[in-house]
Amino acid sequence: MEMIETRSSTGRWLAGAGLWVLQVVAAGLFLMAALGKFTGAEPSVSTFEAIGWGEWFRHLVGVVEVVGAVALLVPALSGAAALAFAGLMAGATLTEAFVSGGPLVMPLALLVISGVIAWGRRDRTVRLWRSVTRR
């Protein structure tokens, strides 16, 4: 019985460590993406021109990426941040596929990573939701 508990706790520890690695990697990637949006680097400018919403939207997405990257590293917010990033990356993937015609590898990869983090941290998202909706 003790061996089963040890394996179970070791597996949970490894899963938690793996999620932290993904969170740090995702936060770094989103910060780099935001930097490209703030500095006007390509393909950021041409992608947002293709969308047709102007520079303000590019900067807004950059701000969302910075705030979300920080939130990925805050334990209580990590699940919600990952869930929000999954939505953002679903939109980015669709935009690349149907509007700008850019490569899909990065938004799809970030969508998958965000989805894995959101699933792995779903208990934190539920706790956060319950604490926000309490009266």
Tab-separated table of all heavy atoms in Angstrom, residues 20-58:
chain	number	residue	atom	x	y	z
A	20	TRP	N	4.770	23.325	-14.437
A	20	TRP	CA	5.537	24.542	-14.169
A	20	TRP	C	6.500	24.838	-15.298
A	20	TRP	O	6.661	25.987	-15.711
A	20	TRP	CB	6.272	24.453	-12.828
A	20	TRP	CG	5.446	25.008	-11.718
A	20	TRP	CD1	4.858	24.301	-10.704
A	20	TRP	CD2	5.070	26.362	-11.517
A	20	TRP	NE1	4.145	25.146	-9.897
A	20	TRP	CE2	4.261	26.420	-10.372
A	20	TRP	CE3	5.335	27.547	-12.200
A	20	TRP	CZ2	3.717	27.611	-9.892
A	20	TRP	CZ3	4.798	28.730	-11.722
A	20	TRP	CH2	4.004	28.757	-10.579
A	21	VAL	N	7.136	23.805	-15.827
A	21	VAL	CA	8.043	24.012	-16.960
A	21	VAL	C	7.269	24.585	-18.144
A	21	VAL	O	7.701	25.551	-18.776
A	21	VAL	CB	8.767	22.697	-17.341
A	21	VAL	CG1	9.485	22.821	-18.681
A	21	VAL	CG2	9.746	22.292	-16.247
A	22	LEU	N	6.111	23.992	-18.441
A	22	LEU	CA	5.288	24.505	-19.539
A	22	LEU	C	4.851	25.947	-19.283
A	22	LEU	O	4.824	26.772	-20.201
A	22	LEU	CB	4.058	23.622	-19.753
A	22	LEU	CG	4.278	22.291	-20.447
A	22	LEU	CD1	2.961	21.508	-20.523
A	22	LEU	CD2	4.864	22.486	-21.834
A	23	GLN	N	4.496	26.264	-18.041
A	23	GLN	CA	4.061	27.618	-17.712
A	23	GLN	C	5.194	28.625	-17.932
A	23	GLN	O	4.961	29.703	-18.487
A	23	GLN	CB	3.579	27.685	-16.264
A	23	GLN	CG	2.231	27.035	-16.052
A	23	GLN	CD	1.889	26.862	-14.592
A	23	GLN	OE1	1.567	25.764	-14.177
A	23	GLN	NE2	1.954	27.917	-13.814
A	24	VAL	N	6.399	28.277	-17.513
A	24	VAL	CA	7.541	29.184	-17.682
A	24	VAL	C	7.857	29.358	-19.168
A	24	VAL	O	8.081	30.478	-19.644
A	24	VAL	CB	8.766	28.678	-16.895
A	24	VAL	CG1	10.020	29.443	-17.269
A	24	VAL	CG2	8.501	28.763	-15.393
A	25	VAL	N	7.844	28.241	-19.916
A	25	VAL	CA	8.114	28.318	-21.361
A	25	VAL	C	7.046	29.161	-22.049
A	25	VAL	O	7.353	30.053	-22.849
A	25	VAL	CB	8.193	26.903	-21.979
A	25	VAL	CG1	8.171	26.955	-23.495
A	25	VAL	CG2	9.449	26.182	-21.488
A	26	ALA	N	5.785	28.898	-21.747
A	26	ALA	CA	4.691	29.657	-22.368
A	26	ALA	C	4.790	31.138	-22.006
A	26	ALA	O	4.627	32.010	-22.867
A	26	ALA	CB	3.341	29.091	-21.937
A	27	ALA	N	5.072	31.436	-20.737
A	27	ALA	CA	5.197	32.842	-20.325
A	27	ALA	C	6.307	33.528	-21.119
A	27	ALA	O	6.134	34.653	-21.592
A	27	ALA	CB	5.465	32.928	-18.820
A	28	GLY	N	7.429	32.855	-21.280
A	28	GLY	CA	8.526	33.428	-22.062
A	28	GLY	C	8.152	33.663	-23.505
A	28	GLY	O	8.464	34.717	-24.080
A	29	LEU	N	7.461	32.693	-24.105
A	29	LEU	CA	7.052	32.834	-25.503
A	29	LEU	C	6.045	33.973	-25.676
A	29	LEU	O	6.120	34.742	-26.634
A	29	LEU	CB	6.482	31.521	-26.029
A	29	LEU	CG	7.505	30.396	-26.213
A	29	LEU	CD1	6.800	29.071	-26.509
A	29	LEU	CD2	8.488	30.740	-27.311
A	30	PHE	N	5.108	34.091	-24.740
A	30	PHE	CA	4.131	35.170	-24.836
A	30	PHE	C	4.778	36.536	-24.598
A	30	PHE	O	4.390	37.521	-25.227
A	30	PHE	CB	2.957	34.942	-23.884
A	30	PHE	CG	1.966	33.938	-24.398
A	30	PHE	CD1	1.779	32.725	-23.750
A	30	PHE	CD2	1.238	34.186	-25.544
A	30	PHE	CE1	0.876	31.795	-24.227
A	30	PHE	CE2	0.326	33.259	-26.044
A	30	PHE	CZ	0.151	32.055	-25.374
A	31	LEU	N	5.768	36.595	-23.711
A	31	LEU	CA	6.481	37.864	-23.514
A	31	LEU	C	7.251	38.255	-24.772
A	31	LEU	O	7.269	39.435	-25.154
A	31	LEU	CB	7.425	37.768	-22.316
A	31	LEU	CG	6.751	37.812	-20.951
A	31	LEU	CD1	7.775	37.543	-19.849
A	31	LEU	CD2	6.047	39.145	-20.718
A	32	MET	N	7.885	37.282	-25.421
A	32	MET	CA	8.599	37.578	-26.671
A	32	MET	C	7.627	38.023	-27.758
A	32	MET	O	7.922	38.946	-28.518
A	32	MET	CB	9.404	36.363	-27.128
A	32	MET	CG	10.624	36.107	-26.284
A	32	MET	SD	11.762	34.876	-26.939
A	32	MET	CE	10.725	33.485	-27.284
A	33	ALA	N	6.464	37.386	-27.826
A	33	ALA	CA	5.460	37.784	-28.811
A	33	ALA	C	4.983	39.210	-28.540
A	33	ALA	O	4.809	40.005	-29.471
A	33	ALA	CB	4.284	36.810	-28.789
A	34	ALA	N	4.782	39.544	-27.271
A	34	ALA	CA	4.352	40.899	-26.916
A	34	ALA	C	5.417	41.922	-27.294
A	34	ALA	O	5.091	42.999	-27.810
A	34	ALA	CB	4.053	40.978	-25.418
A	35	LEU	N	6.665	41.587	-27.074
A	35	LEU	CA	7.748	42.498	-27.433
A	35	LEU	C	7.721	42.809	-28.927
A	35	LEU	O	7.877	43.961	-29.328
A	35	LEU	CB	9.097	41.884	-27.048
A	35	LEU	CG	10.321	42.750	-27.300
A	35	LEU	CD1	10.251	44.031	-26.489
A	35	LEU	CD2	11.580	41.973	-26.965
A	36	GLY	N	7.462	41.787	-29.740
A	36	GLY	CA	7.339	41.998	-31.180
A	36	GLY	C	6.186	42.911	-31.538
A	36	GLY	O	6.280	43.727	-32.459
A	37	LYS	N	5.110	42.814	-30.794
A	37	LYS	CA	3.952	43.673	-31.053
A	37	LYS	C	4.248	45.117	-30.660
A	37	LYS	O	3.860	46.060	-31.345
A	37	LYS	CB	2.732	43.140	-30.321
A	37	LYS	CG	2.217	41.858	-30.962
A	37	LYS	CD	1.123	41.224	-30.148
A	37	LYS	CE	0.670	39.926	-30.785
A	37	LYS	NZ	1.682	38.883	-30.795
A	38	PHE	N	4.950	45.307	-29.547
A	38	PHE	CA	5.255	46.666	-29.085
A	38	PHE	C	6.307	47.348	-29.952
A	38	PHE	O	6.278	48.566	-30.112
A	38	PHE	CB	5.720	46.651	-27.635
A	38	PHE	CG	4.645	46.228	-26.661
A	38	PHE	CD1	4.946	45.381	-25.613
A	38	PHE	CD2	3.342	46.678	-26.785
A	38	PHE	CE1	3.971	44.990	-24.707
A	38	PHE	CE2	2.351	46.294	-25.892
A	38	PHE	CZ	2.672	45.444	-24.848
A	39	THR	N	7.240	46.574	-30.486
A	39	THR	CA	8.312	47.173	-31.295
A	39	THR	C	7.952	47.268	-32.767
A	39	THR	O	8.699	47.849	-33.549
A	39	THR	CB	9.613	46.371	-31.153
A	39	THR	OG1	9.408	45.032	-31.613
A	39	THR	CG2	10.103	46.364	-29.709
A	40	GLY	N	6.824	46.693	-33.172
A	40	GLY	CA	6.412	46.749	-34.572
A	40	GLY	C	7.183	45.793	-35.463
A	40	GLY	O	7.337	46.050	-36.655
A	41	ALA	N	7.649	44.694	-34.895
A	41	ALA	CA	8.406	43.701	-35.672
A	41	ALA	C	7.465	42.918	-36.584
A	41	ALA	O	6.277	42.770	-36.310
A	41	ALA	CB	9.139	42.755	-34.734
A	42	GLU	N	8.023	42.446	-37.677
A	42	GLU	CA	7.261	41.563	-38.566
A	42	GLU	C	7.354	40.141	-38.028
A	42	GLU	O	8.333	39.776	-37.415
A	42	GLU	CB	7.831	41.614	-39.988
A	42	GLU	CG	7.461	42.855	-40.757
A	42	GLU	CD	5.968	43.030	-40.966
A	42	GLU	OE1	5.210	42.046	-40.950
A	42	GLU	OE2	5.542	44.162	-41.136
A	43	PRO	N	6.333	39.343	-38.211
A	43	PRO	CA	5.123	39.537	-39.007
A	43	PRO	C	3.981	40.184	-38.243
A	43	PRO	O	2.867	40.239	-38.747
A	43	PRO	CB	4.766	38.125	-39.420
A	43	PRO	CG	5.173	37.286	-38.258
A	43	PRO	CD	6.432	37.953	-37.725
A	44	SER	N	4.253	40.664	-37.057
A	44	SER	CA	3.195	41.234	-36.236
A	44	SER	C	2.449	42.370	-36.944
A	44	SER	O	1.212	42.379	-36.990
A	44	SER	CB	3.782	41.736	-34.916
A	44	SER	OG	2.776	42.239	-34.099
A	45	VAL	N	3.183	43.309	-37.501
A	45	VAL	CA	2.553	44.465	-38.135
A	45	VAL	C	1.678	44.032	-39.311
A	45	VAL	O	0.512	44.431	-39.416
A	45	VAL	CB	3.622	45.490	-38.578
A	45	VAL	CG1	2.992	46.596	-39.407
A	45	VAL	CG2	4.328	46.067	-37.365
A	46	SER	N	2.211	43.213	-40.192
A	46	SER	CA	1.439	42.814	-41.379
A	46	SER	C	0.240	41.951	-41.005
A	46	SER	O	-0.812	42.053	-41.650
A	46	SER	CB	2.341	42.080	-42.379
A	46	SER	OG	2.915	40.944	-41.796
A	47	THR	N	0.367	41.148	-39.968
A	47	THR	CA	-0.771	40.326	-39.535
A	47	THR	C	-1.905	41.214	-39.050
A	47	THR	O	-3.063	41.033	-39.433
A	47	THR	CB	-0.342	39.351	-38.422
A	47	THR	OG1	0.654	38.472	-38.932
A	47	THR	CG2	-1.529	38.543	-37.916
A	48	PHE	N	-1.576	42.189	-38.211
A	48	PHE	CA	-2.629	43.060	-37.692
A	48	PHE	C	-3.157	44.015	-38.751
A	48	PHE	O	-4.318	44.421	-38.690
A	48	PHE	CB	-2.150	43.781	-36.422
A	48	PHE	CG	-2.184	42.884	-35.214
A	48	PHE	CD1	-1.099	42.085	-34.894
A	48	PHE	CD2	-3.314	42.803	-34.432
A	48	PHE	CE1	-1.135	41.234	-33.804
A	48	PHE	CE2	-3.371	41.961	-33.339
A	48	PHE	CZ	-2.270	41.161	-33.023
A	49	GLU	N	-2.352	44.359	-39.748
A	49	GLU	CA	-2.858	45.139	-40.887
A	49	GLU	C	-3.862	44.310	-41.672
A	49	GLU	O	-4.887	44.831	-42.132
A	49	GLU	CB	-1.708	45.586	-41.787
A	49	GLU	CG	-0.937	46.758	-41.236
A	49	GLU	CD	0.248	47.144	-42.117
A	49	GLU	OE1	0.456	46.532	-43.194
A	49	GLU	OE2	0.983	48.058	-41.714
A	50	ALA	N	-3.583	43.018	-41.828
A	50	ALA	CA	-4.502	42.134	-42.554
A	50	ALA	C	-5.830	42.007	-41.820
A	50	ALA	O	-6.888	41.897	-42.440
A	50	ALA	CB	-3.871	40.758	-42.757
A	51	ILE	N	-5.787	42.051	-40.507
A	51	ILE	CA	-7.022	41.991	-39.720
A	51	ILE	C	-7.845	43.260	-39.951
A	51	ILE	O	-9.068	43.217	-40.015
A	51	ILE	CB	-6.708	41.822	-38.216
A	51	ILE	CG1	-6.028	40.476	-37.956
A	51	ILE	CG2	-7.972	41.935	-37.377
A	51	ILE	CD1	-5.488	40.338	-36.551
A	52	GLY	N	-7.145	44.380	-40.078
A	52	GLY	CA	-7.827	45.633	-40.377
A	52	GLY	C	-8.286	46.422	-39.168
A	52	GLY	O	-9.095	47.334	-39.303
A	53	TRP	N	-7.780	46.105	-37.987
A	53	TRP	CA	-8.211	46.821	-36.797
A	53	TRP	C	-7.188	47.827	-36.303
A	53	TRP	O	-7.376	48.438	-35.253
A	53	TRP	CB	-8.554	45.856	-35.671
A	53	TRP	CG	-9.832	45.111	-35.926
A	53	TRP	CD1	-10.711	45.327	-36.938
A	53	TRP	CD2	-10.352	44.033	-35.167
A	53	TRP	NE1	-11.760	44.452	-36.856
A	53	TRP	CE2	-11.557	43.633	-35.767
A	53	TRP	CE3	-9.945	43.362	-34.049
A	53	TRP	CZ2	-12.340	42.611	-35.287
A	53	TRP	CZ3	-10.723	42.330	-33.564
A	53	TRP	CH2	-11.905	41.967	-34.173
A	54	GLY	N	-6.106	48.003	-37.000
A	54	GLY	CA	-5.125	49.033	-36.671
A	54	GLY	C	-4.155	48.666	-35.567
A	54	GLY	O	-4.196	47.585	-34.999
A	55	GLU	N	-3.303	49.655	-35.316
A	55	GLU	CA	-2.237	49.460	-34.329
A	55	GLU	C	-2.753	49.291	-32.915
A	55	GLU	O	-2.143	48.598	-32.101
A	55	GLU	CB	-1.265	50.640	-34.376
A	55	GLU	CG	-0.331	50.594	-35.544
A	55	GLU	CD	0.769	51.631	-35.407
A	55	GLU	OE1	1.235	51.890	-34.280
A	55	GLU	OE2	1.151	52.184	-36.446
A	56	TRP	N	-3.866	49.929	-32.587
A	56	TRP	CA	-4.386	49.844	-31.230
A	56	TRP	C	-4.666	48.406	-30.836
A	56	TRP	O	-4.414	48.014	-29.692
A	56	TRP	CB	-5.662	50.691	-31.075
A	56	TRP	CG	-6.855	50.112	-31.789
A	56	TRP	CD1	-7.242	50.374	-33.068
A	56	TRP	CD2	-7.781	49.158	-31.269
A	56	TRP	NE1	-8.364	49.640	-33.379
A	56	TRP	CE2	-8.715	48.881	-32.290
A	56	TRP	CE3	-7.922	48.513	-30.047
A	56	TRP	CZ2	-9.769	47.981	-32.120
A	56	TRP	CZ3	-8.976	47.615	-29.875
A	56	TRP	CH2	-9.877	47.367	-30.910
A	57	PHE	N	-5.139	47.586	-31.782
A	57	PHE	CA	-5.454	46.195	-31.468
A	57	PHE	C	-4.175	45.388	-31.266
A	57	PHE	O	-4.113	44.535	-30.384
A	57	PHE	CB	-6.332	45.590	-32.572
A	57	PHE	CG	-6.882	44.242	-32.209
A	57	PHE	CD1	-7.732	44.092	-31.131
A	57	PHE	CD2	-6.533	43.115	-32.938
A	57	PHE	CE1	-8.240	42.840	-30.781
A	57	PHE	CE2	-7.039	41.866	-32.606
A	57	PHE	CZ	-7.887	41.730	-31.523
A	58	ARG	N	-3.147	45.682	-32.060
A	58	ARG	CA	-1.854	45.009	-31.894
A	58	ARG	C	-1.300	45.300	-30.505
A	58	ARG	O	-0.836	44.402	-29.811
A	58	ARG	CB	-0.881	45.475	-32.982
A	58	ARG	CG	0.515	44.910	-32.833
A	58	ARG	CD	1.381	45.198	-34.047
A	58	ARG	NE	1.346	46.554	-34.545
A	58	ARG	CZ	2.239	47.490	-34.247
A	58	ARG	NH1	3.253	47.228	-33.450
A	58	ARG	NH2	2.136	48.695	-34.762
